[in-house]
Amino acid sequence: MLLTIIGVCANGAVALIVLILLLILAWNYLKLLFEAAERYVLLGVMVFTAPVVFAMGASQSTSNIFKSWCRMFAGQIFLLLMNAWCLRLFVSMVGAFIANPLSL
């Protein structure tokens, strides 16, 4: 009788811990989705403003602004690619775990 009660309590505690970890994982996945969407919108704004920035590249006094914009644009593309890669990796890993959960 006592072992049954302890077993039920342990199963409840494990289920609670799994639920908490699942919520943490889902929250971090949602944050990564929002970050990727934010980078996508920011990249769109940068492409929209590109003609103004390219006009600054012609002048000697504003060429530093153009160089900074180019570095920022390249950095945003790199970060967007890394976000997309991480999202794909996460989805792939979750799919593999769901297919065979005991193959750790």
Side-chain angles (χ1 to χ4, degrees):
M1 174 80 170
L2 183 61
L3 288 176
T4 305
I5 294 172
I6 292 173
V8 168
C9 289
N11 283 341
V14 167
L16 184 62
I17 290 170
V18 167
L19 180 65
I20 290 170
L21 290 175
L22 186 64
L23 287 173
I24 291 170
L25 191 64
W27 175 250
N28 284 328
Y29 181 70
L30 191 64
K31 285 192 321 186
L32 185 58
L33 278 175
F34 279 130
E35 183 179 344
E38 178 187 357
R39 297 231 181 267
Y40 189 73
V41 169
L42 183 62
L43 202 60
V45 169
M46 290 179 71
V47 167
F48 185 73
T49 60
V52 174
V53 178
F54 274 96
M56 289 183 186
S59 174
Q60 185 73 13
S61 61
T62 57
S63 64
N64 288 335
I65 296 172
F66 175 70
K67 290 175 187 174
S68 296
W69 183 88
C70 288
R71 281 193 303 270
M72 184 172 57
F73 187 73
Q76 290 301 320
I77 288 176
F78 175 74
L79 289 173
L80 184 63
L81 287 173
M82 289 296 104
N83 282 343
W85 180 71
C86 286
L87 285 169
R88 175 152 165 65
L89 182 69
F90 178 80
V91 169
S92 169
M93 291 174 74
V94 168
F97 179 75
I98 289 173
N100 194 1
L102 298 177
S103 67
L104 297 174

